[in-house]
Amino acid sequence: QVQLVESGGGLVQAGGSLRLSCQASGSFFSINVMGWYRQAPGKQRELVATITSSGRTNYADSVKGRCSISRDNAKNTVYLEMNSLKPEDTAVYYCNCEGALGTGSRYRSWGQGTQVTVSS
């Protein structure tokens, strides 16, 4: 079992910034990819950003230049720095990680989600 605990969401005015954190714990052999997804009311969950264990990043076009994803492998933690926030960034943000268990099987886990609300 791999558990993810997110923190850092909240209410912010347009143009403001937030930093989300997510720490993984449990029994796993490795964490290969960590990332953030979001789901707005009435919409499907969508990718925000991912980062591999070697530091390669991928961003959704909608957040490029405004968000930065990073990770601390020693702490099994991923961060999402969000700047110049817009009302359309309002959503529940979910942490995600993928990797391998000690048995060699793969896993994919989700956090419980943290609400980000951007007021205009």
Side-chain angles (χ1 to χ4, degrees):
Q1 292 284 349
V2 180
Q3 295 82 40
L4 298 174
V5 178
E6 301 137 332
S7 61
L11 173 64
V12 64
Q13 288 189 332
S17 299
L18 280 176
R19 187 188 195 217
L20 307 182
S21 300
C22 172
Q23 184 171 38
S25 63
S27 300
F28 50 85
F29 178 74
S30 66
I31 303 176
N32 300 124
V33 182
M34 302 188 83
W36 292 92
Y37 291 73
R38 67 187 181 186
Q39 188 167 17
K43 295 187 177 181
Q44 289 189 329
R45 191 172 297 188
E46 63 178 6
L47 168 75
V48 177
T50 60
I51 184 169
T52 67
S53 56
S54 61
R56 188 172 72 242
T57 58
N58 179 50
Y59 294 94
D61 288 342
S62 59
V63 304
K64 280 181 181 177
R66 300 189 297 118
C67 291
S68 177
I69 189 170
S70 60
R71 64 189 280 177
D72 184 333
N73 291 329
K75 296 181 179 180
N76 297 321
T77 299
V78 63
Y79 306 95
L80 184 69
E81 186 79 32
M82 301 187 293
N83 302 305
S84 302
L85 283 163
K86 305 175 182 180
E88 50 263 44
D89 293 317
T90 296
V92 177
Y93 284 68
Y94 295 92
C95 178
N96 170 271
C97 72
E98 303 174 30
L101 301 174
T103 59
S105 58
R106 307 291 298 178
Y107 69 88
R108 189 179 192 191
S109 294
W110 292 92
Q112 79 284 358
T114 185
Q115 177 71 45
V116 171
T117 302
V118 184
S119 63
S120 57

